[in-house]
Amino acid sequence: MIRAVGPDPTFGKSVQAEISARITEQQFLTWFQRVQFRVSSTDVVTVSVPNRFFMTFLKHRYQALICDAVSAVSSIRQPRVEFEIVEDEAVGRLPHAAAPPPVIAPAAINNSHGAGQAPEFPENIPLNPDYTFDEFVVGPSNRLAHAAALSVSETPGTSYNPLFLFGSVGLGKTHLMQAVARRYGAAGMGQMVYISCASFTNDFIAAVSNNDLDRFRRKYREANALLIDDIHFLANKERTQEEFFHTFNSIYNRQKQILLTSDSLPSEIAGLGDRLVSRFKLGLVVELAPPCFETRVAILLRKARNVDLEIPLDVAEYVAHRICDNVRELEGAVNRLHSHVHIEHRALTIEEARKSIADLVGDEEHRVDLLRIQQAILEQFSIRPSDLHSKCRSRSVVVPRQICMYLSRLHTDLSLGEIGLYFGGRDHSTVLHSIEKIRKLLETDSALRSTVAALERKLGHRR
Ligand code: ADP
Ligand code: MG
């Protein structure tokens, strides 16, 4: 058993938390979940890994990140990193690529502050080293979005302003936004804001309650570029919308670049005021659609090459046929195949690949879909998970709950009973009643129709 030693036993945990805030959940689960860190002398941090391959990979790809994380959570300014290979049960079976992560709230990503600091306005989201233009595989589904982002990165404020990228989860919106942010950083853009809409919202609420609006406004309204990820988070938040409206105008009028991403069209964001909808459409609105088969194959081959994995073309084609609408899931498959070859030392045939990714495309589907449906509903209606599962009869939660059941029935193979069980132990007749209710309403209620259409778009199901 390995234990963290050194002055601070929580050191290892803090380093992990810091790292997880700077990379995707998938990368974290694959490479860091069960790696251990400890301080072994004044400025030396020892990283315990399960095998040589891990060591090489972490050294090659993540050494700088590890150093940054260590200095962010400790007083070690320039850590020296040493690796040790530990044949241990607890860390021996790695990497286990995880199931595709559920949608994570942007707020969870942006927690780069060291513990114990005074509350501050959030820093820009740390950039993922992989999210560059070079690493972005271009195909018909994303060509326009890629070209527009590239153009905005080269001539900020003059080509398309604002640039509004939308599409369902896992299709590269954050990737493109970070590619732009990276270029701006490299070009010495000066004060630039790149944060999630959730952080903007939290930041605003904190500023109001601390009487600190002047500083808030200086930070946002005077920026030389404003990049806000997942702007659909403004849904139904009137005061934040009001503030954002003025932020937008200030940046726009100074001809500075605004870049926004969203999971739906401006007009489909629930409760978004008309004046914001029309401002969001002032420049260019571009969709990122799910990649076509050839692009999926190209993405698989590129991601595999990045981790020194050779996937035979027939295997890549097999995987691309099974995973269709989310690039993050393609990455999950590459991680699976990678551990299959490099950790389990097995050949990569179609049959082996089938077994290796079975749970990514098979049984997991229902659970993930229910979670995604639930997440989409929570965001759309600004309600809490407990509201969906409770017995509360207030209209503001009954309708979202009924829509949830309706979408679950439509987009999973779960039975009425199973859906009822999930949503607060209701019996199948209650579920049936809810679904019928929504079906009927959809025939007459155009607002409900557009809400459901937006939800379906979020879920990647098109009509
Ligand atoms: P979104 O913000 O749209 O939910 P992300 O930008 O987080 O999606 O993308 C999910 C993952 O898929 C990221 O790891 C990203 O690098 C990868 N990805 C998405 N599209 C592409 C692409 N066209 N080429 C390479 N990687 C991609
Ligand atoms: Mg994103």
Side-chain angles (χ1 to χ4, degrees):
M1 183 71 198
I2 307 163
R3 288 211 180 75
V5 292
D8 180 4
T10 62
F11 174 79
K13 282 221 160 59
S14 316
V15 174
Q16 283 203 318
E18 186 66 27
I19 288 175
S20 82
R22 295 173 183 227
I23 56 181
T24 65
E25 188 173 5
Q26 184 75 57
Q27 289 166 326
F28 180 78
L29 290 173
T30 307
W31 296 109
F32 289 101
Q33 193 182 26
R34 280 168 273 171
V35 163
Q36 313 207 2
F37 301 89
R38 68 176 193 279
V39 182
S40 36
S41 73
T42 331
D43 61 349
V44 178
V45 172
T46 300
V47 186
S48 307
V49 295
N51 56 40
R52 182 163 299 281
F53 173 74
F54 240 79
M55 183 171 82
T56 315
F57 191 88
L58 289 182
K59 254 190 199 163
H60 183 64
R61 295 278 292 217
Y62 288 121
Q63 181 137 346
L65 174 72
I66 294 172
C67 289
D68 283 356
V70 167
S71 31
V73 303
S74 69
S75 53
I76 308 174
R77 290 282 65 95
Q78 287 185 320
R80 283 191 294 133
V81 176
E82 285 179 359
F83 289 86
E84 69 179 3
I85 298 175
V86 183
E87 302 285 348
D88 183 285
E89 263 293 284
V91 292
R93 299 167 309 239
L94 286 166
H96 251 313
V103 185
I104 21 173
I109 305 170
N110 191 22
N111 60 352
S112 57
H113 313 293
Q117 283 174 4
E120 255 298 333
F121 290 143
E123 298 303 321
N124 287 341
I125 296 174
L127 299 183
N128 184 319
D130 295 335
Y131 290 3
T132 60
F133 281 114
D134 284 347
E135 285 296 322
F136 194 83
V137 177
V138 181
S141 61
N142 58 30
R143 178 164 287 122
L144 195 53
H146 174 264
L150 199 59
S151 152
V152 151
S153 79
E154 282 161 0
T155 51
T158 51
S159 44
Y160 309 109
N161 205 16
L163 174 59
F164 187 99
L165 301 177
F166 77 101
S168 66
V169 68
L171 296 182
K173 302 183 295 295
T174 297
H175 186 133
L176 285 178
M177 185 170 260
Q178 291 209 5
V180 174
R182 179 172 293 279
R183 289 261 172 112
Y184 287 169
M189 162 76 75
Q191 184 184 348
M192 163 183 79
V193 172
Y194 162 46
I195 61 163
S196 66
C197 185
S199 294
F200 178 86
T201 306
N202 294 339
D203 208 1
F204 173 60
I205 294 168
V208 171
S209 59
N210 298 333
N211 264 334
D212 209 6
L213 269 176
D214 282 349
R215 201 156 62 93
F216 175 91
R217 288 178 177 154
R218 270 200 308 281
K219 171 178 168 186
Y220 287 101
R221 296 189 185 182
E222 291 172 18
N224 290 329
L226 181 69
L227 280 53
I228 305 224
D229 209 359
D230 294 328
I231 197 73
H232 55 269
F233 199 80
L234 282 183
N236 297 318
K237 298 190 179 67
E238 277 166 36
R239 279 202 69 189
T240 314
Q241 285 187 26
E242 167 80 22
E243 182 64 31
F244 185 73
F245 177 74
H246 297 292
T247 310
F248 184 104
N249 290 346
S250 157
I251 306 272
Y252 185 82
N253 292 339
R254 289 187 296 111
Q255 296 180 351
K256 303 294 184 189
Q257 184 67 45
I258 299 169
L259 172 56
L260 305 170
T261 69
S262 163
D263 65 0
S264 41
L265 279 165
S267 56
E268 286 176 352
I269 299 176
L272 186 69
D274 288 346
R275 52 188 194 165
L276 275 180
V277 174
S278 60
R279 266 165 184 74
F280 289 176
K281 294 198 275 199
L282 280 174
L284 183 68
V285 175
V286 196
E287 178 171 19
L288 279 143
C292 66
F293 174 72
E294 289 78 4
T295 311
R296 297 201 296 280
V297 172
I299 290 174
L300 280 167
L301 295 177
R302 165 73 70 90
K303 302 273 171 189
R305 199 186 66 198
N306 286 350
V307 289
D308 285 336
L309 172 70
E310 222 174 283
I311 307 186
L313 191 59
D314 59 341
V315 172
E317 289 182 348
Y318 170 78
V319 176
H321 274 305
R322 301 297 305 276
I323 299 178
C324 300
D325 48 22
N326 185 327
V327 178
R328 196 170 278 142
E329 286 172 9
L330 288 175
E331 290 179 331
V334 170
N335 288 337
R336 289 291 167 93
L337 300 180
H338 182 273
S339 69
H340 184 88
V341 171
H342 285 282
I343 310 296
E344 294 170 33
H345 303 292
R346 301 169 65 153
L348 206 48
T349 59
I350 290 190
E351 185 48 27
E352 292 286 339
R354 188 183 63 74
K355 283 189 234 151
S356 174
I357 64 163
D359 58 333
L360 279 183
V361 294
D363 298 344
E364 287 284 295
E365 250 167 34
H366 295 157
R367 200 173 57 77
V368 170
D369 267 358
L370 264 192
L371 278 179
R372 277 178 55 199
I373 291 169
Q374 170 170 324
Q375 185 65 28
I377 296 271
L378 297 179
E379 283 171 12
Q380 181 86 16
F381 295 97
S382 299
I383 56 175
R384 294 161 306 173
S386 56
D387 294 329
L388 283 181
H389 301 275
S390 76
K391 305 271 176 220
C392 172
R393 303 286 315 148
S394 112
R395 192 179 150 74
S396 61
V397 303
V398 168
V399 173
R401 199 189 288 139
Q402 288 175 334
I403 298 177
C404 226
M405 294 184 192
Y406 170 82
L407 290 174
S408 304
R409 183 65 176 155
L410 217 56
H411 297 303
T412 73
D413 294 330
L414 298 177
S415 68
L416 295 171
E418 286 166 323
I419 295 172
L421 212 59
Y422 187 77
F423 292 108
R426 292 173 161 78
D427 66 17
H428 82 279
S429 61
T430 313
V431 178
L432 189 61
H433 170 77
S434 305
I435 294 171
E436 285 308 319
K437 183 99 187 281
I438 296 297
R439 255 197 208 123
K440 274 229 162 61
L441 272 176
L442 281 174
E443 286 167 14
T444 52
D445 185 338
S446 63
L448 182 69
R449 262 204 305 279
S450 82
T451 303
V452 171
L455 283 164
E456 296 207 292
R457 190 192 288 282
K458 269 186 204 176
L459 294 168
H461 291 279
R462 278 135 201 286
R463 287 251 156 133

